[in-house]
Amino acid sequence: MKQNTTLEIDLQEPPKLEDHGILDSRNITINNYLKLGALYGANDLLNPPDTYITKRARLDYGSGSDSDSGKHKSQVSGEIEVPEGYKPNIVNVTMLATSDEDLYFSFNIGGNIFEIRKNDFEPAIEIEGGHKKYHLINSQHELSVTEEIDNLASDEKLFIDIYGYESANYNTHLEVQFVALYDPSTLQYPVISSWKKSVYETLSQAHQTALREYQQQLAFMEAEEEANKRDIVDFGAPPAVNKKLILNELKKHCLAIIRNEHAGLLATDHSGAPPQFDIDNARSDGERIRFLEHAFEWDQIQYVFYPYFWAQPESDMRGWKDRFLSKHRDYTMDEFLKAGYARVVVPVREGFDAAVAYFVEHQEVFNGLGTPPIGDPLHLSIIDEIKERTDAGKGEIPVGDPWETRLPTAAVIVRNTDTLPRWRKKTGEDWTWELDE
């Protein structure tokens, strides 16, 4: 029976960044980046950097019980790592020291020299041995970075030197505040500019992913609508065809994770009329494709579909409602269309273990040695590949005696009669029937 149906395509193309006033990374702000991330489903956006960063260090001298007598001078050094894109701004110093004379300290922090004298400390407290303990609270000093003074080491470390006089025991707590560098030539903070570029690139990639999914869905819906216009009843593809479609989709997304990039980002361009591709690009892409096709046993992958609620509740593509209400005659295909996530196990072909590990770490195929020659363990013959794709035998050894299997059939017997045929069991046999004429 045929039926006429009309499918209205109600699918919105993902908006471009330009539609929201984002022409380049300079238009990214702390006020709009989260909203844009939610719009395109980008959950891995970097948080904006702080204008100020604080780092701390502690420098000690003496065991706490050493005598101050005759202790004319001492020295202790340390360093603090400078955050990339920042410069030292202010240091807060807190000290605890003992002395039996007029103690005095000289500091050199990144080329900035200042002094702390006895009068800068709290009143002394007499301790055992006639020594006095002094406590300094929050001595704050500005730090400057100039071209004349080499304040920073080549490895971006802030050097700290403390010279003590008439003190055998002291510990010092330093709290250094770093401020983001400012480039007057561009009127920008480099750390802010770098963050904006990172966010913009992430949003651009998210938009491209959403656009590809939209185009795939649109093509599917247009094909379905065209079939309906031709007055064709679509009973759906056979389960075997659906299974191949499912496996191909799972394979596509597994490859995106393995390659750390989505499909369609290879170098070879197949556009033009007639299409002419760059030969060097085709060879390079072909070597990569060949490795990824051969290194895994794609026909042996195992998978489990997880429920719809692991997907985003609200989505322009397929939210909870669309997945929950999805219906398909093929049970496996129905589970695939409803799934919010999937767990997939992809076996590595025997002999390719080391090559796959090398690719995951370096993103270079065939251990970085190029396409293997015939006879190499990593060379897969095209004959073997064809056999695998056509389900040819692999030298299996039968175990036990074969047995007969009978399956029901949908065949129709054409008879010149209006009565149904009658069957009877053949005498002396259990499973043989004959037509009762």
Side-chain angles (χ1 to χ4, degrees):
M1 180 182 69
K2 296 182 177 180
Q3 59 183 10
N4 293 318
T5 60
T6 301
L7 176 64
E8 295 184 2
I9 298 179
D10 184 16
L11 195 63
Q12 297 297 323
E13 180 176 353
K16 300 177 181 179
L17 287 170
E18 292 87 342
D19 298 337
H20 296 278
I22 309 300
L23 304 180
D24 54 39
S25 61
R26 290 173 295 180
N27 301 124
I28 300 294
T29 68
I30 59 175
N31 297 320
N32 65 14
Y33 84 103
L34 288 177
K35 181 179 179 181
L36 293 168
L39 177 65
Y40 293 106
N43 300 319
D44 53 348
L45 296 177
L46 294 177
N47 291 324
D50 296 322
T51 305
Y52 297 95
I53 295 179
T54 299
K55 292 202 171 189
R56 298 170 178 83
R58 172 177 172 170
L59 299 178
D60 296 330
Y61 183 83
S63 63
S65 60
D66 296 339
S67 172
D68 294 316
S69 178
K71 197 65 177 181
H72 299 299
K73 60 181 179 180
S74 61
Q75 187 263 338
V76 64
S77 299
E79 59 186 30
I80 295 180
E81 184 177 353
V82 179
E84 184 177 356
Y86 292 79
K87 68 176 182 178
N89 182 39
I90 295 174
V91 60
N92 287 312
V93 180
T94 303
M95 292 191 73
L96 183 65
T98 64
S99 179
D100 58 358
E101 295 291 343
D102 292 335
L103 77 167
Y104 163 81
F105 293 94
S106 178
F107 286 76
N108 182 355
I109 301 181
N112 296 265
I113 300 175
F114 55 90
E115 300 171 346
I116 295 178
R117 298 179 178 273
K118 180 179 178 179
N119 293 336
D120 297 319
F121 287 85
E122 284 188 341
I125 301 174
E126 192 79 24
I127 60 176
E128 184 180 354
H131 305 301
K132 295 182 180 180
K133 181 173 68 173
Y134 298 86
H135 183 208
L136 170 69
I137 297 179
N138 195 21
S139 175
Q140 188 178 92
H141 304 271
E142 293 186 0
L143 301 178
S144 63
V145 176
T146 64
E147 295 181 359
E148 292 79 11
I149 301 177
D150 184 13
N151 295 319
L152 306 181
S154 59
D155 55 355
E156 299 297 327
K157 298 290 180 64
L158 182 67
F159 290 147
I160 302 170
D161 295 300
I162 304 175
Y163 298 89
Y165 300 89
E166 300 299 338
S167 179
N169 308 279
Y170 53 89
N171 58 57
T172 309
H173 293 264
L174 301 114
E175 186 177 88
V176 180
Q177 181 193 78
F178 295 88
V179 63
L181 291 170
Y182 180 73
D183 186 356
S185 63
T186 61
L187 304 180
Q188 296 286 333
Y189 291 92
V191 291
I192 300 294
S193 299
S194 178
W195 168 75
K196 289 185 175 185
K197 290 179 181 178
S198 174
V199 171
Y200 182 77
E201 291 174 0
T202 302
L203 291 175
S204 298
Q205 293 175 1
H207 171 260
Q208 290 300 318
T209 299
L211 183 61
R212 281 193 295 271
E213 292 178 354
Y214 160 78
Q215 292 170 343
Q216 293 174 357
Q217 184 70 6
L218 181 62
F220 173 79
M221 297 178 71
E222 288 177 343
E224 188 173 357
E225 183 182 41
E226 183 64 24
N228 289 332
K229 287 181 179 179
R230 295 181 182 179
D231 201 23
I232 297 175
V233 177
D234 182 11
F235 291 100
V241 174
N242 290 335
K243 182 178 180 181
K244 288 185 177 181
L245 186 150
I246 293 172
L247 292 178
N248 273 336
E249 287 300 304
L250 294 176
K251 176 180 178 180
K252 177 181 72 175
H253 294 297
C254 286
L255 283 170
I257 296 174
I258 294 170
R259 296 170 53 215
N260 200 30
E261 65 178 13
H262 287 283
L265 299 180
L266 294 176
T268 308
D269 183 9
H270 296 85
S271 61
Q276 292 183 338
F277 54 82
D278 183 278
I279 295 177
D280 290 335
N281 285 342
R283 285 173 176 164
S284 176
D285 288 345
E287 184 178 58
R288 194 175 184 86
I289 293 170
R290 178 178 177 179
F291 173 78
L292 293 171
E293 287 285 350
H294 292 178
F296 303 92
E297 295 182 328
W298 294 108
D299 59 329
Q300 301 297 325
I301 66 175
Q302 302 293 318
Y303 55 88
V304 175
F305 296 130
Y306 293 153
Y308 69 92
F309 52 73
W310 290 115
Q312 292 185 357
E314 301 294 335
S315 173
D316 293 337
M317 307 304 295
R318 283 176 61 80
W320 280 10
K321 180 180 178 181
D322 295 328
R323 295 174 189 272
F324 182 77
L325 297 178
S326 175
K327 292 184 179 180
H328 198 279
R329 296 178 180 87
D330 183 347
Y331 174 78
T332 304
M333 189 65 172
D334 189 52
E335 290 294 297
F336 171 70
L337 295 175
K338 289 182 176 180
Y341 245 81
R343 180 185 180 186
V344 184
V345 178
V346 184
V348 176
R349 186 183 299 276
E350 184 179 0
F352 277 76
D353 309 65
V356 169
Y358 187 89
F359 177 81
V360 171
E361 182 175 358
H362 301 284
Q363 290 294 304
E364 294 184 13
V365 300
F366 297 113
N367 293 318
L369 301 177
T371 304
I374 296 175
D376 189 280
L378 297 183
H379 175 80
L380 180 65
S381 167
I382 190 173
I383 297 177
D384 293 334
E385 189 171 359
I386 293 174
K387 285 182 178 180
E388 287 183 1
R389 294 175 180 269
T390 56
D391 295 326
K394 299 181 179 179
E396 297 87 347
I397 301 176
V399 178
D401 298 327
W403 62 87
E404 217 175 77
T405 302
R406 299 198 177 203
L407 300 173
T409 177
V412 178
I413 298 178
V414 181
R415 294 168 55 86
N416 188 20
T417 177
D418 56 358
T419 60
L420 295 174
R422 302 177 62 181
W423 298 83
R424 65 170 180 268
K425 189 169 65 173
K426 195 171 183 179
T427 304
E429 298 188 23
D430 291 335
W431 294 99
T432 303
W433 295 70
E434 58 186 1
L435 188 63
D436 185 4
E437 298 291 348

